[in-house]
Amino acid sequence: MRSRFAAAVVALVALVPLACGQDKKGSARKAREDRQAQVEELVKDFIKARKEADDAFRAAQNDRERAAAEAKLPREADFLPRIHKLIDGDAKDDAAGEALALAVFGFQTKDERVYDALARNFVKTDRIQRFVQMAVEGAPDAAKPVLANVLAENPSKVLKGMACFALGAMAFEKDDPKADREAEVYFTRVEKEFADVAVGRGETLGERAKGGLFELRNLRVGMQAPAAESRTLKGEKASLADYRGKVVVLDVWATWCVPCKEMIPHEREMVEKFRNKPFALISVSVDEEKKELEEFLGKEPMPWTHWWDGPDAPFVKQWNIHTFPTIYVIDAKGVIRYKHIRGEELEKAVEK
């Protein structure tokens, strides 16, 4: 039976070219679909592993459980052979592009085959689009040479603009004087050459670059905090200037933001601890509707100052706020002393 079955399989395989030989386009389409299915499965497995790890991290109560959660993270060694399979044979299609993007953004890989494939087959073409779109939202250091090559060699204004902005954003995130100067060069170039390139929710690269430049020039630690105005839950005007003479924690958050909500119990403790001190905690919600915030506050006690002027509030846009929570600690003279800190580190900063 085994030999007859094997012979049948050989015969069937031999007939495939005859059945499809008259339709090379159909055969090529089937091959593309198969490769696309492979990359979709690859991404699906990656997302599943990340979710399982994230869920385990949130539930972890001790170091042993946190280590077990970390072990659930997707490992490059498990995925790289599948990625190599998709880029082998000088592959230049969308499936290969997706696989390469996953290797860089999912694993921050240093694999030479990945970067060789990007440089050889993608940097000068529109197939690099997925890569640069992801880079606009944040990119690892390993992506920098690829983005620099796209900016220098790709003929598309859109892709060059995205690469230019991404390079500026990468430098910006380092938050040191040398990197800040580099970020300012890239953002200034975006404003001059690529300002009209659309990205995200109706935004343009020019608008994003403007926000980055404002933050570089006005919102670094040691700078005097610029004006910040919003509205109270009663709809009355509110201003950061009203709190001069107090240490202020400005917390930009949303009721749908899990890390924001995880901060609430400690924030309650901190507010109580500094109740008789010159201190103010101001939570600025970016929820779509004020009703959502009010309903949340009705269930979750947050006994401190709250501002709301919608997700597109002028203050939120001007201060270049894209991640939540965004935290600023401002001293009694209005000088920014700390940024992006939470928990005990935040409490110690206020105390200091």
Side-chain angles (χ1 to χ4, degrees):
M1 288 291 295
R2 287 191 66 175
S3 61
R4 285 177 61 190
F5 178 75
V9 171
V10 170
L12 181 61
V13 171
L15 287 173
V16 170
L18 295 176
C20 302
Q22 301 302 316
D23 185 5
K24 292 183 179 179
K25 289 184 178 179
S27 178
R29 184 171 60 251
K30 178 63 166 62
R32 285 197 303 272
E33 289 172 354
D34 287 347
R35 286 171 54 75
Q36 191 59 42
Q38 289 178 48
V39 79
E40 287 173 5
E41 189 69 21
L42 183 72
V43 172
K44 181 180 175 182
D45 290 347
F46 176 83
I47 293 172
K48 180 182 177 182
R50 283 298 300 264
K51 186 180 184 305
E52 288 177 354
D54 289 345
D55 291 344
F57 270 117
R58 289 194 181 96
Q61 299 293 319
N62 52 52
D63 290 343
R64 181 179 60 78
E65 291 178 356
R66 280 186 282 274
E70 188 171 357
K72 293 178 180 291
L73 285 167
R75 298 188 309 157
E76 181 179 357
D78 294 334
F79 283 78
L80 202 54
R82 296 167 68 183
I83 293 170
H84 283 165
K85 183 179 178 182
L86 284 159
I87 66 174
D88 277 348
D90 213 29
K92 304 174 183 178
D93 58 10
D94 290 338
E98 291 280 347
L100 291 167
L102 177 63
V104 175
F105 293 94
F107 297 105
Q108 301 185 29
T109 188
K110 296 181 180 179
D111 184 72
E112 291 183 4
R113 289 172 67 180
V114 166
Y115 292 101
D116 180 61
L118 281 165
R120 187 174 64 252
N121 297 325
F122 290 87
V123 161
K124 298 180 183 180
T125 76
D126 59 4
R127 292 187 299 276
I128 199 72
Q129 180 172 349
R130 177 65 171 154
F131 188 97
V132 293
Q133 284 176 330
M134 294 175 72
V136 164
E137 304 304 328
D141 287 343
K144 186 174 182 178
V146 179
L147 293 167
N149 285 341
V150 172
L151 179 57
E153 301 175 13
N154 197 287
S156 165
K157 175 185 174 182
V158 170
L159 300 182
K160 288 169 79 77
M162 288 183 178
C164 189
F165 178 86
L167 287 164
M170 289 173 68
F172 174 87
E173 289 299 324
K174 294 185 184 303
D175 198 2
D176 69 61
K178 183 179 178 181
D180 280 358
R181 289 191 292 273
E182 183 181 350
E184 189 163 6
V185 169
Y186 282 121
F187 286 154
T188 300
R189 184 173 175 185
V190 168
E191 282 199 318
K192 289 179 179 178
E193 300 179 32
F194 311 112
D196 60 340
V197 173
V199 61
R201 297 168 47 192
E203 279 186 305
T204 63
L205 288 180
E207 290 169 336
R208 285 209 181 181
K210 181 179 179 180
L213 287 169
F214 181 86
E215 188 168 347
L216 284 168
R217 295 164 180 169
N218 299 276
L219 289 166
R220 288 310 200 195
V221 170
M223 294 180 177
Q224 192 78 24
E229 296 183 346
S230 186
R231 293 188 178 274
T232 68
L233 295 185
K234 294 180 179 179
E236 299 168 344
K237 287 186 177 181
S239 172
L240 183 60
D242 298 336
Y243 294 85
R244 186 63 62 89
K246 294 183 177 182
V247 172
V248 175
V249 171
L250 202 60
D251 169 21
V252 187
W253 75 299
T255 59
W256 44 258
C257 165
V258 173
C260 301
K261 291 188 286 188
E262 289 173 345
M263 289 179 59
I264 294 172
H266 180 260
E267 286 178 316
R268 274 198 293 264
E269 294 174 5
M270 190 169 64
V271 167
E272 179 60 27
K273 179 177 180 178
F274 298 122
R275 186 161 53 92
N276 297 317
K277 303 288 185 181
F279 167 72
L281 172 57
I282 304 172
S283 285
V284 186
S285 163
V286 295
D287 284 287
E288 290 284 346
E289 302 290 338
K290 184 166 68 169
K291 183 180 178 181
E292 294 175 310
L293 172 62
E294 291 172 331
E295 289 177 352
F296 183 88
L297 294 175
K299 300 173 184 176
E300 182 74 65
M302 297 175 68
W304 53 84
T305 301
H306 292 272
W307 293 355
W308 180 89
D309 203 10
D312 297 318
F315 152 63
V316 172
K317 282 195 166 184
Q318 184 186 37
W319 280 44
N320 196 40
I321 294 167
H322 292 284
T323 59
F324 308 99
T326 289
I327 308 288
Y328 282 91
V329 180
I330 302 166
D331 72 15
K333 295 180 180 180
V335 176
I336 298 168
R337 294 300 181 190
Y338 299 88
K339 293 171 63 173
H340 309 310
I341 56 176
R342 305 183 206 173
E344 289 185 11
E345 188 181 4
L346 174 58
E347 186 174 326
K348 289 177 182 177
V350 172
E351 211 159 20
K352 185 177 179 180

